[in-house]
Amino acid sequence: MEQKNLNRLRVIIAEKNLTNKWLSEQLGVGQATISKWVQNNAQPNLEMLIKISKLLNVDINELIRPEEVTLD
């Protein structure tokens, strides 16, 4: 079995029934940037993490804490 880290931003967006497009509009960044963040190809800087946590009403630790799942 393989352990894989889920991207917390992706999980939180899905849990809140939001879209990458909505988040990009609220933050004033391109959809490509959000896509890179949720696919773990890039990471937001600290200032942006603070904005995201306020916008999504989650503790910043929720965004940076890895969540492991087991893949069969």
Side-chain angles (χ1 to χ4, degrees), residues 27-62:
L27 295 173
V29 299
Q31 289 184 48
T33 300
I34 303 296
S35 180
K36 288 177 185 176
W37 293 345
V38 299
Q39 293 176 10
N40 287 331
N41 293 327
Q43 299 300 319
N45 62 30
L46 182 57
E47 179 183 337
M48 193 58 73
L49 279 171
I50 293 168
K51 288 180 182 180
I52 294 167
S53 71
K54 289 179 181 178
L55 182 62
L56 298 177
N57 197 30
V58 295
D59 188 278
I60 196 166
N61 291 317
E62 284 293 309

Side-chain angles (χ1 to χ4, degrees), residues 2-72:
E2 176 188 351
Q3 289 285 326
K4 183 171 178 142
N5 285 338
L6 280 182
N7 181 287
R8 289 297 302 153
L9 181 57
R10 176 184 280 183
V11 171
I12 293 167
I13 289 171
E15 288 174 349
K16 293 184 178 280
N17 294 318
L18 300 172
T19 64
N20 291 0
K21 180 180 179 184
W22 178 86
L23 187 60
S24 72
E25 290 170 352
Q26 298 301 308
L27 295 173
V29 299
Q31 289 184 48
T33 300
I34 303 296
S35 180
K36 288 177 185 176
W37 293 345
V38 299
Q39 293 176 10
N40 287 331
N41 293 327
Q43 299 300 319
N45 62 30
L46 182 57
E47 179 183 337
M48 193 58 73
L49 279 171
I50 293 168
K51 288 180 182 180
I52 294 167
S53 71
K54 289 179 181 178
L55 182 62
L56 298 177
N57 197 30
V58 295
D59 188 278
I60 196 166
N61 291 317
E62 284 293 309
L63 294 171
I64 58 177
R65 174 182 53 105
E67 181 175 293
E68 290 187 359
V69 294
T70 302
L71 302 176
D72 293 331

